[in-house]
Amino acid sequence: MSRLDINRSGEMEVFARVVELGGFSAAARRIGMTPSAVSKLVARLEGRLGARLVHRSTRQLRLTPEGEAFYGRCRAVLAAIAEAEREVAAGAVPRGRVRVNSNVPFGLHWLTGLVPDFLTLYPEITLDIVATDMVIDLIDERADVAIRVGPMRASPLIARKLGESRMAVVASPDYLARHGAPATLEELERHNRIAFNFTRLVAGWPFRDASGATVTVPPVGNVLVGDGESARRLALAGAGLARLSHFHIGPDLAAGRLVEVLADLNPGDTETIHAVFIGQGAQLPARVRVFLDYLAAHARVG
């Protein structure tokens, strides 16, 4: 059967409804088909693709890894089709909701400052912004764009680099006046180090020792936080040392509110900031594309 004989977008629509509604019967009721027809369509799709997309049981339907990847692509394709139809009907004016999941420091110190001018340029777009330092699943959270800081895990997502920023260990002048500034890694062990309460790809604080080798010191202390902005505010309040990006604390360093310590042992590592999204080119809705272009032009970090 040629590709012209297959309604691939229709198959994607049915498969997406099965995933989103949790089963063949619910999808069938929504679409207006019989459950057996929906099941056969998914089975035919699996046969054509040569891969199992779902594990079936009497109680639940669970996606295989291939099914998860295909569902993500289906969402992008179906969104692009819907966007193309809206653009033609509305004269190609970008419109609709853009769901943005942002790292907290970037969201507070960069993104919110860009929102007013962006919305002036694109008044038909609504931005739906959630700020969290936890790594989220774009498909599960129904996010169009995620701002992620740090190393990227291997994934089928598209990443657009916004910049990179050097890391530094910092403390407030008040904290250093009370506890002294550590000059060696041995002295660092006696200081309170503000840590994160979620798993990060890079564990510990890296330093360069006297031999030039990189060593990692665990951030051990009596306070843990769930986002970088909380760590910054605790450091400003004198609760301990924090290791943060210059893009986040640059103004505090310039104003003397925070002071870098152990600068001579800083290995010079950087954190990279990416905008992550599903789909590219023609598969990317205009509302998402213009937002990404605006970020790339106005939120260059580094």
Side-chain angles (χ1 to χ4, degrees), residues 7-28:
N7 182 357
R8 290 189 291 162
S9 65
E11 287 182 338
M12 290 181 176
E13 181 79 26
V14 172
F15 176 69
R17 293 296 172 269
V18 168
V19 174
E20 291 163 0
L21 297 174
F24 298 122
S25 297

Side-chain angles (χ1 to χ4, degrees), residues 6 47 128 135 176 193 230:
I6 302 171
D128 185 345
V135 176
L176 297 176
R193 285 154 275 161
S230 294

Side-chain angles (χ1 to χ4, degrees), residues 159-178:
R160 190 165 179 175
K161 185 176 178 180
L162 299 178
E164 56 185 326
S165 182
R166 192 170 69 87
M167 302 293 293
V169 177
V170 296
S172 70
D174 175 66
Y175 176 88
L176 297 176
R178 287 184 285 113

Side-chain angles (χ1 to χ4, degrees), residues 26-37:
R29 288 192 296 271
R30 176 68 60 86
I31 300 168
M33 298 172 63
T34 64
S36 63

Side-chain angles (χ1 to χ4, degrees), residues 2-295:
S2 74
R3 289 190 171 187
L4 292 177
D5 296 326
I6 302 171
N7 182 357
R8 290 189 291 162
S9 65
E11 287 182 338
M12 290 181 176
E13 181 79 26
V14 172
F15 176 69
R17 293 296 172 269
V18 168
V19 174
E20 291 163 0
L21 297 174
F24 298 122
S25 297
R29 288 192 296 271
R30 176 68 60 86
I31 300 168
M33 298 172 63
T34 64
S36 63
V38 171
S39 179
K40 288 177 182 177
L41 186 149
V42 173
R44 186 169 65 246
L45 177 61
E46 290 176 321
R48 182 165 63 80
L49 296 176
R52 181 175 291 278
L53 300 177
V54 295
H55 291 302
R56 300 162 175 83
S57 72
T58 55
R59 292 189 175 183
Q60 65 176 355
L61 180 146
R62 182 164 54 85
L63 286 177
T64 65
E66 293 79 10
E68 291 179 357
F70 187 67
Y71 173 61
R73 295 295 187 183
C74 285
R75 283 193 64 226
V77 170
L78 294 170
I81 291 173
E83 186 72 15
E85 292 174 345
R86 285 195 296 269
E87 286 182 3
V88 171
V93 175
R95 67 180 68 238
R97 185 181 300 269
V98 179
R99 294 176 175 84
V100 183
N101 189 289
S102 175
N103 159 277
V104 175
F106 186 90
L108 289 178
H109 296 275
W110 289 79
L111 182 58
T112 53
L114 300 176
V115 167
D117 287 346
F118 175 79
L119 294 180
T120 298
L121 285 174
Y122 301 102
E124 299 298 319
I125 289 179
T126 297
L127 292 179
D128 185 345
I129 301 171
V130 174
T132 176
D133 280 6
M134 300 292 287
V135 176
I136 60 101
D137 185 304
L138 267 70
I139 295 174
D140 287 347
E141 298 296 327
R142 301 291 193 267
D144 296 300
V145 179
I147 309 299
R148 292 183 177 168
V149 177
M152 295 289 297
R153 291 188 176 95
S155 81
L157 302 175
I158 311 300
R160 190 165 179 175
K161 185 176 178 180
L162 299 178
E164 56 185 326
S165 182
R166 192 170 69 87
M167 302 293 293
V169 177
V170 296
S172 70
D174 175 66
Y175 176 88
L176 297 176
R178 287 184 285 113
H179 299 280
T184 66
L185 296 184
E186 290 74 20
E187 292 181 5
L188 176 64
E189 293 289 345
R190 298 195 293 270
H191 284 265
N192 200 37
R193 285 154 275 161
I194 299 168
F196 291 103
N197 54 19
F198 57 91
T199 302
R200 308 191 85 202
L201 287 180
V202 177
W205 294 0
F207 293 94
R208 183 175 291 115
D209 65 13
S211 68
T214 299
V215 296
T216 300
V217 176
V220 177
N222 60 9
V223 60
L224 297 92
V225 296
D227 63 84
E229 179 62 15
S230 294
R232 168 183 170 266
R233 294 192 180 200
L234 283 167
L236 287 168
L241 306 179
R243 191 169 193 269
L244 301 166
S245 297
H246 269 254
F247 91 86
H248 185 190
I249 56 172
D252 298 318
L253 290 170
R257 293 186 294 268
L258 291 174
V259 178
E260 183 173 4
V261 299
L262 298 171
D264 55 330
L265 302 182
N266 190 324
D269 60 315
T270 61
E271 274 196 333
T272 306
I273 299 94
H274 289 97
V276 182
F277 52 97
I278 299 172
Q280 59 182 329
Q283 294 183 349
L284 200 61
R287 57 188 165 78
V288 178
R289 186 171 60 252
V290 296
F291 178 73
L292 288 167
D293 289 344
Y294 193 85
L295 274 184

